[in-house]
């Protein structure tokens, strides 16, 4: 009966604390509903107790996001095979695990009948103790399989009962009980089905218990109404909850000017032509100079065939020339495809072939780093953005192109860039993002944080990662300046701190792994005066730990803003300002303008507050899809069942939980969760506990050969990090199933070029 059960079903998150405070919520179903439930039970050949058990199991499913749940039920223990058992005085009851597994398309009647059959088949084993059942099922030592209980009180209740001799009469009865579990449903049949939800008030408060009772009543009403409906159609939410959740998940509706990125920057250039636009070491470009150099390159590219719906590769190291190259491609009407020349030749070859680019912009020094057989038309720029052949641009026939020759211009719905992300198959997939999507993202950021002409944004993320997009272009839309780090400078905390001080940087971004490295640098932390000019700090790309956010705020006095979003939705779709509130990780927050967030279960039903669900995104920032991958696009960009006809939503694969105010907490990847020895494990939870240890600066947890492996970097001043001590410390903070078996101490964690943890480079 428990074969294949992979994890316990625990509904109550709050740990035991102090003495038990028993409380209860009582609900009586109307006589009409009770009669209909009884009729449904009779029609399907099941007991009313089975109906109630199925309702409880379906409720648990909806509150855990799972279609295979376990809860406790009690049996009388009075086996009819034992002579005289009915006349014996004493307590014989036993608690047994009851499992309910269902598929979305199962009719509710089928769910009832299957549960009854499965329970009937186990009658001969109802005398076994719970510990023995778990041992036989292979779950010994895993802790309790469930934390909720259902008791169906089916005892004789006739009035004026007496014993056979007539000398003893039963004149009344009352039950005084206490339950071991934090949540128990006691059911008494009658003309009105009597439901009592007993709960430990110190772990399940009264409001939560009342809400659970309302949701259970809703499930029972559905079973009474129609058992032919599929199980996936059950809805735990009331109409007002649906409306509230929809409102919380909708970003503010704002009008955003339908400008392409080059048009917006051109408008800013016209307003402030002499303002400083780009800073890179000794190179300084005004808006007018940037525009002139980008336009010269654009003419060259247009003469080579660049136009809307075309893609031009850019392979220029971080420099003023890189900004000119990106803007020049956009001015030509084409979309840019950034190449990271540090990537292996095979990956570069795939990106070029997948994009369909016919032209690549690079430098004379870097042209040889491209795959030898790329076969693309090459346009050269120098580190300051001068195009090598801009003075004699020719069209595809060889004729000279006039400086202001008419040409097709991109519209807001044309692609702005094509950025490749890692694919689950190992083949990078290209994401096509339009100017309209990008315009919304940048307009929201300006509305939220308000750059001025005095601001300077540090650009340090490689152009092949989407965070770079706002680092390059937010400032240029608003009259501020972009300060570019040296090509390898984004890996060096001390260099970055010096650059912030020297260039009076006011805004910058960190991937959390890089933020951890920054905070571990003695040169950075010894004298925080380097951060005096900062006023805006952003973090995204990974879960931001509360500890790191608090340390950063204490060091610099500038609380970080946590951003979240996939490449498939124009960089970021949620935001949250760190406010010092305690928590393992900083929330990812609320939606940006014109963007919708849906937290759905596996049946695409909205989940209640506090229930884990997968995050789906809607709105203007969604990418077109994956370039030349229609099947994958259809799999991830799906029809929105809650939107207008023809609208889409993007399935992120990220697990989140919504707070009552609509703020989202990031829980991890649905595809990173692992199951070991019957326990669902989120490595991020273990990593958070590991990095909370004073002796650990940074940490990571992976599964290797069905064993949890912890990687730890010693904190400054820690000279001897003992695995045994780490194990003992984690054992005090985590359940046994979450304590890693193996420990590896490293001088530092390997990072990818974008600053994220490079899991593949961790030693096995």
């Amino acid at each position: 009966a428990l074969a294949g059960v992979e994890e316990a079903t625990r509904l109550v998150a709050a740990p035991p604390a102090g003495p038990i405070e028993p409380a209860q919520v009582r609900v009586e179903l109307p006589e009409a509903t009770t009669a209909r439930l009884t009729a449904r039970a009779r029609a399907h050949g099941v007991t009313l107790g089975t109906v109630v058990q199925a309702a409880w199991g379906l409720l648990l499913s909806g509150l855990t996001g799972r279609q295979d749940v376990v809860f406790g039920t009690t049996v009388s223990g009075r086996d009819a095979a034992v002579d005289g058992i009915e006349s014996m005085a004493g307590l014989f009851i036993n608690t047994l695990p009851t499992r309910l597994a269902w598929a979305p398309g199962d009719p509710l009647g089928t769910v009832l009948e299957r549960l009854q059959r499965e329970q009937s088949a186990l009658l001969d084993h109802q005398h076994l103790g719970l510990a023995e059942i778990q041992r036989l099922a292979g779950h010994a030592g895993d802790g309790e399989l469930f934390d909720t209980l259902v008791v169906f009180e089916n005892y004789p209740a006739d009035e004026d009962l007496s014993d056979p001799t007539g000398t003893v009469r039963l004149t009344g009865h009352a039950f005084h009980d206490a339950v071991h579990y934090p949540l128990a449903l006691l059911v008494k049949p009658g003309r009105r089905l009597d439901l009592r939800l007993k709960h430990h008030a110190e772990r399940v408060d009264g409001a939560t218990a009342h809400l659970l009772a309302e949701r259970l009543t809703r499930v029972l009403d559905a079973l009474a109404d129609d058992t032919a409906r599929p199980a996936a159609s059950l809805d735990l939410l009331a109409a007002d909850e649906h409306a509230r959740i929809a409102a919380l998940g909708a970003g503010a509706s704002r009008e955003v000017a339908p400008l392409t990125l080059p048009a917006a920057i051109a408008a800013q250039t016209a307003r402030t032509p002499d303002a400083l636009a780009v800073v890179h070491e000794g190179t300084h470009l005004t808006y007018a100079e940037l525009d002139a150099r980008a336009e010269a390159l654009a003419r060259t590219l247009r003469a080579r065939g660049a136009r809307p719906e075309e893609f031009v590769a850019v392979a220029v190291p971080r420099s003023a020339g890189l900004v000119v190259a990106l803007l020049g491609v956009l001015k030509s009407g084409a979309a840019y495809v950034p190449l990271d020349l540090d990537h292996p030749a095979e990956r570069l070859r795939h990106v070029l072939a997948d994009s369909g680019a016919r032209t690549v912009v690079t430098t004379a020094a870097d042209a040889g780093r491209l795959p030898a057989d790329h076969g693309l038309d090459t346009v050269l720029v120098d580190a300051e953005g001068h195009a090598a052949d801009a003075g004699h641009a020719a069209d595809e026939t060889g004729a000279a192109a006039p400086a202001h020759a008419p040409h097709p211009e991109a519209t807001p719905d044309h692609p702005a860039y094509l950025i490749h992300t890692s694919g689950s198959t190992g083949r990078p997939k290209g994401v096509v993002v339009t100017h309209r999507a990008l315009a919304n993202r940048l307009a929201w950021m300006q509305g939220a944080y308000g750059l001025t002409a005095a601001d300077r944004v540090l650009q340090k993320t490689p152009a092949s990662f989407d965070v770079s997009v706002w680092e390059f272009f937010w400032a240029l839309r608003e009259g501020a300046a972009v300060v570019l780090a040296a090509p390898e400078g984004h890996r060096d905390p001390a260099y970055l701190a010096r650059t912030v001080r020297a260039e009076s940087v006011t805004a910058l971004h960190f991937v959390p792994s890089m933020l951890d490295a920054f905070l571990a640098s003695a040169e950075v932390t010894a004298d925080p005066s380097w951060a005096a000019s900062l006023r805006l700090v952003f973090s995204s790309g990974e879960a931001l730990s509360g500890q790191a956010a608090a340390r950063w705020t204490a060091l610099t006095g500038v609380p970080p803003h946590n951003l979240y979003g996939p490449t498939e939705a124009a960089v970021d779709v949620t935001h949250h300002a760190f406010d010092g509130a305690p928590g393992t990780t900083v929330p990812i927050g609320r939606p940006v303008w014109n963007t919708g967030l849906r937290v759905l279960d596996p049946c695409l039903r909205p989940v209640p507050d506090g229930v884990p669900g997968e995050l789906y995104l809607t709105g203007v920032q969604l990418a077109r899809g994956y370039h030349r991958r229609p099947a994958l696009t259809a799999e991830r960009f799906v029809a929105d069942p809650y939107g207008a006809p023809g609208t889409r939503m993007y399935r992120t694969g990220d697990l989140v939980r919504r707070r009552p105010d609509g703020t989202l907490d990031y829980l991890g990847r649905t595809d990173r969760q692992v199951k070991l020895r019957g326990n669902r494990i989120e490595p991020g939870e273990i990593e958070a506990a590991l990095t909370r240890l004073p002796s650990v600066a940074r940490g990571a947890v992976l599964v290797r050969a069905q064993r949890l492996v912890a990687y730890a970097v010693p904190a400054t001043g820690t000279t001897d990090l003992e695995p045994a001590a780490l194990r003992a410390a984690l054992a005090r903070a985590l359940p046994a199933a979450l304590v890693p078996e193996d420990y590896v101490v490293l001088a530092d964690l390997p990072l990818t070029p974008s600053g994220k943890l490079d899991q593949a480079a961790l030693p096995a």
Side-chain angles (χ1 to χ4, degrees), residues 332-661:
S332 77
Y336 72 84
V337 183
L339 300 178
D340 189 332
L341 292 173
D342 289 331
H343 285 171
E346 184 59 35
R347 182 184 176 99
L348 294 177
R349 191 175 291 111
H350 169 78
V351 169
L352 288 170
D354 179 72
S355 70
R358 296 185 294 167
T359 305
V360 59
V361 180
T362 187
T363 70
D366 294 291
R369 299 173 65 188
L370 291 166
D373 55 350
H374 64 73
L376 275 66
D377 193 4
T378 302
V379 174
L380 299 179
V381 296
D382 63 20
E384 296 186 353
H386 296 289
D389 54 355
H392 52 276
D395 64 21
E396 291 174 302
T397 67
H404 299 289
H407 58 273
E409 295 186 353
T411 69
D413 293 317
H414 280 125
Y417 59 84
L418 171 63
I419 284 182
H420 285 74
T421 66
S422 297
S424 58
T425 63
R427 187 161 64 101
K429 53 187 186 290
V431 181
V432 182
V433 176
T434 66
H435 286 275
R436 189 182 301 277
L438 181 55
N440 189 82
R441 168 62 179 75
L442 295 177
W444 162 78
M445 199 169 195
Q446 179 63 13
Y449 305 110
L451 282 186
T452 70
D455 279 302
R456 292 186 166 199
V457 177
L458 182 63
Q459 202 294 304
K460 65 181 185 63
T461 303
S464 56
F465 294 94
D466 65 344
V467 168
S468 68
V469 175
W470 70 256
E471 288 183 338
F472 282 121
F473 299 120
W474 180 26
L476 297 180
R477 278 176 48 109
E478 307 301 338
V482 178
V483 178
L484 294 108
E488 293 301 316
H490 62 284
R491 305 176 190 271
D492 184 345
Y495 163 79
L496 291 174
R498 292 194 300 271
T499 301
V500 169
R501 184 197 298 269
E503 300 294 350
S504 299
V505 169
T506 60
L508 81 163
H509 170 274
F510 285 109
V511 172
S513 293
M514 187 61 193
L515 181 62
D516 288 338
F518 213 78
L519 292 168
S521 169
E523 188 171 342
V524 168
T525 57
D527 177 13
S529 63
W530 60 266
S533 61
L534 287 177
R535 73 177 188 89
L536 292 169
V537 176
F538 303 96
S539 182
S540 66
E542 298 171 316
L544 174 62
S545 75
Q547 181 189 51
R551 290 178 60 206
W552 170 266
T553 303
L555 177 70
T556 66
V558 184
H561 296 270
N562 194 30
L563 307 179
Y564 160 86
T567 303
E568 290 84 350
V571 192
D572 299 302
V573 291
T574 71
H575 61 105
H576 182 83
F578 176 66
D579 56 6
T584 301
T585 59
V586 179
I588 60 174
R590 302 291 300 276
V592 305
W593 294 354
N594 305 314
T595 296
L597 312 177
R598 306 201 193 287
V599 186
L600 308 178
D601 70 8
C603 299
L604 298 185
R605 300 175 299 186
V607 301
D609 292 344
V611 176
E614 186 172 354
L615 179 59
Y616 289 74
L617 308 176
T618 67
V620 68
Q621 285 190 203
L622 292 194
R624 273 191 182 178
Y626 299 112
H627 188 51
R628 296 178 170 177
R629 304 280 290 275
L632 182 60
T633 297
E635 177 186 329
R636 305 298 297 190
F637 292 84
V638 299
D640 181 5
Y642 304 100
T647 56
R648 304 176 303 156
M649 59 183 186
Y650 172 68
R651 180 182 181 183
T652 67
D654 288 326
L655 199 64
V656 299
R657 181 187 292 118
R658 184 184 55 253
R659 297 181 180 182
D661 67 354

Side-chain angles (χ1 to χ4, degrees), residues 318-336:
R318 191 182 297 116
S319 61
L322 174 58
V323 182
V324 170
L326 298 177
L327 184 55
V329 171
L330 293 170
K331 277 176 165 285
S332 77
Y336 72 84

Side-chain angles (χ1 to χ4, degrees), residues 67-444:
Q67 292 161 215
D68 190 353
V69 295
V70 180
F71 54 93
T73 55
T74 59
V75 293
S76 67
R78 294 178 179 269
D79 192 336
V82 179
D83 290 339
I85 188 69
E86 290 300 327
S87 61
M88 294 181 184
L91 189 65
F92 293 84
I93 61 171
N94 191 21
T95 299
L96 301 173
T98 296
R99 180 184 186 182
L100 183 75
W102 54 277
D106 288 345
L108 291 173
T110 300
V111 175
L112 295 176
E113 293 167 8
R114 185 168 57 235
L115 178 61
Q116 174 100 0
R117 284 196 308 271
E118 291 171 350
Q119 293 302 98
S120 296
L122 296 173
L123 287 176
D124 290 343
H125 308 288
Q126 65 179 6
H127 61 280
L128 291 174
L130 189 55
E132 177 68 3
I133 292 173
Q134 288 196 205
R135 185 188 68 79
L136 293 172
H139 290 279
D142 289 345
E144 293 182 331
L145 280 176
F146 50 85
D147 64 357
T148 67
L149 181 72
V150 175
V151 180
F152 197 85
E153 296 178 340
N154 196 13
Y155 49 82
D158 293 339
E159 295 182 1
D160 203 28
L161 287 175
S162 64
D163 75 327
T165 67
T167 58
V168 178
R169 289 190 308 115
L170 181 64
T171 59
H173 63 270
F175 277 83
H176 301 279
D177 50 37
V179 291
H180 162 71
Y181 297 97
L183 193 62
L185 174 66
L186 277 66
V187 185
K188 182 178 178 181
R191 294 176 63 185
R192 296 166 58 94
L193 196 63
D194 187 352
L195 310 172
R196 286 174 291 156
L197 200 59
K198 290 184 172 286
H199 59 104
H200 295 175
E202 79 283 1
R203 299 180 65 186
V204 180
D205 61 38
T208 300
H210 277 281
L211 189 57
L212 284 168
E214 290 175 12
R215 299 199 196 286
L216 177 61
T217 302
R218 200 167 291 122
V219 176
L220 289 167
D221 284 339
L223 287 168
D225 288 341
D226 181 11
T227 51
R229 65 188 292 186
S233 69
L234 278 180
D235 190 355
L236 299 184
L237 304 178
D240 61 338
E241 279 188 284
H242 276 289
R244 183 183 65 83
I245 287 171
L248 289 173
S253 179
R254 297 290 179 87
E255 287 291 331
V256 174
L259 292 176
T260 64
L261 187 55
I265 295 174
Q268 182 60 49
T269 300
R271 290 190 292 269
T272 58
D274 298 324
L276 187 62
V278 177
V279 177
H280 178 244
E281 298 177 341
T283 302
H284 294 72
L285 299 183
T286 65
Y287 273 81
E289 290 169 332
L290 172 64
D291 180 74
R293 295 180 193 185
E295 183 57 43
L297 175 60
R299 289 198 303 271
T300 299
L301 293 173
R302 285 193 292 267
R304 307 290 182 91
R307 60 178 63 89
E309 298 297 337
E310 293 286 334
F311 297 95
V312 174
V314 176
V316 179
R318 191 182 297 116
S319 61
L322 174 58
V323 182
V324 170
L326 298 177
L327 184 55
V329 171
L330 293 170
K331 277 176 165 285
S332 77
Y336 72 84
V337 183
L339 300 178
D340 189 332
L341 292 173
D342 289 331
H343 285 171
E346 184 59 35
R347 182 184 176 99
L348 294 177
R349 191 175 291 111
H350 169 78
V351 169
L352 288 170
D354 179 72
S355 70
R358 296 185 294 167
T359 305
V360 59
V361 180
T362 187
T363 70
D366 294 291
R369 299 173 65 188
L370 291 166
D373 55 350
H374 64 73
L376 275 66
D377 193 4
T378 302
V379 174
L380 299 179
V381 296
D382 63 20
E384 296 186 353
H386 296 289
D389 54 355
H392 52 276
D395 64 21
E396 291 174 302
T397 67
H404 299 289
H407 58 273
E409 295 186 353
T411 69
D413 293 317
H414 280 125
Y417 59 84
L418 171 63
I419 284 182
H420 285 74
T421 66
S422 297
S424 58
T425 63
R427 187 161 64 101
K429 53 187 186 290
V431 181
V432 182
V433 176
T434 66
H435 286 275
R436 189 182 301 277
L438 181 55
N440 189 82
R441 168 62 179 75
L442 295 177
W444 162 78

